[in-house]
Amino acid sequence: MKRLENIYEGEWKTVSLTETALGLTVRERFERFRFEAMSELVLRLAGGLMVAGSTMLWLVLPIGAGTEKLVSHSLLAALVTAVGLFVYAYGTRGFRRQLSLDAKRGLLSLTKINMNEQGRVVRSIRINDIESLYLRRPAAGTSQASLHVRVAGHENPILALTGAVDELEEIHQDLCEIIQLSGAESQPMPTPSRAHLGKRLQSA
């Protein structure tokens, strides 16, 4: 863990880190996602207004209306409520990524965080199921690199984080080191996947 002793030194511009006794938590910075935050706010307001509008539909039921008209009115109000709740839920799904490694539990958790700092766990991956962690450098016209996790039995890798190349390089190296050490403590002989993770930076 010698690298973890100085990983928190200096200024981190695209991600923020939290040290834990048995791992590491990395979160994309809010400042990078102002447009997504505004979109989330708009969707929340739209969903809330639709639910409020469906309530108003119940209050303006036509007096003396027949059964058929009441049923159609009720169905419309229920539909607007359902759509409003869906829009609100979609708006609170989160737009920032967070990666948390718990070496004691042997889990790597990938989470989406919304503007209220509430997180939804998108995926929990057992360390033993990780085939590799690799860094994908920026393509032409982009400035952000991305950190991916390849899981055994899954063809497509999972996007874990985005950020500046130099910052994700350090995070990648430290994640590999923590996973190696946790594997060495539980198993005397490293498995092929551990050896694969022990490689330094990988690029795709």
Side-chain angles (χ1 to χ4, degrees), residues 19-20 26 31 44 89 93 109 183:
E19 183 179 12
T20 60
V26 189
E31 294 80 7
R44 288 186 178 201
R93 70 195 186 284
S109 299

Side-chain angles (χ1 to χ4, degrees), residues 7-203:
I7 189 173
Y8 303 101
E9 296 178 359
E11 182 180 358
W12 291 78
K13 297 180 179 180
T14 60
V15 296
S16 60
L17 292 86
T18 304
E19 183 179 12
T20 60
L22 297 165
L24 187 66
T25 297
V26 189
R27 176 180 293 188
E28 296 173 335
R29 286 194 176 276
F30 178 83
E31 294 80 7
R32 297 169 48 201
F33 299 95
R34 297 198 180 278
F35 175 77
E36 288 82 357
M38 184 61 66
S39 298
E40 178 177 306
L41 180 61
V42 170
L43 287 172
R44 288 186 178 201
L45 289 174
L49 288 174
M50 292 180 75
V51 173
S54 68
T55 303
M56 293 299 297
L57 284 175
W58 288 103
L59 297 177
V60 295
L61 282 172
I63 299 175
T67 303
E68 184 177 343
K69 197 166 187 177
L70 287 175
V71 170
S72 62
H73 204 87
S74 301
L75 288 175
L76 177 61
L79 178 61
V80 173
T81 300
V83 173
L85 291 174
F86 174 80
V87 170
Y88 186 87
Y90 185 79
T92 58
R93 70 195 186 284
F95 52 88
R96 284 190 295 153
R97 294 178 179 85
Q98 175 181 287
L99 178 151
S100 298
L101 176 62
D102 187 330
K104 183 176 181 180
R105 296 175 59 199
L107 284 178
L108 181 73
S109 299
L110 305 179
T111 308
K112 284 288 190 68
I113 304 167
N114 60 31
M115 62 186 299
N116 290 339
E117 302 296 321
Q118 297 172 330
R120 292 185 181 181
V121 176
V122 176
R123 188 76 179 269
S124 292
I125 307 167
R126 297 200 61 80
I127 289 178
N128 291 335
D129 294 333
I130 298 176
E131 289 188 347
S132 65
L133 296 168
Y134 67 91
L135 191 65
R136 183 169 292 171
R137 297 179 179 277
T142 62
S143 59
Q144 303 294 322
S146 55
L147 182 65
H148 295 257
V149 184
R150 192 176 296 279
V151 183
H154 292 77
E155 182 179 351
N156 298 321
I158 303 170
L159 175 60
L161 286 172
T162 62
V165 177
D166 57 338
E167 294 179 353
L168 291 191
E169 283 178 351
E170 285 203 53
I171 292 167
H172 172 254
Q173 292 175 6
D174 286 299
L175 287 170
C176 289
E177 182 174 337
I178 295 170
I179 292 174
Q180 270 193 301
L181 290 174
S182 65
E185 291 173 359
S186 60
Q187 298 179 2
M189 296 296 293
T191 63
S193 61
R194 288 288 175 272
H196 191 54
L197 280 170
K199 295 179 181 178
R200 302 313 282 174
L201 295 177
Q202 305 174 46
S203 298

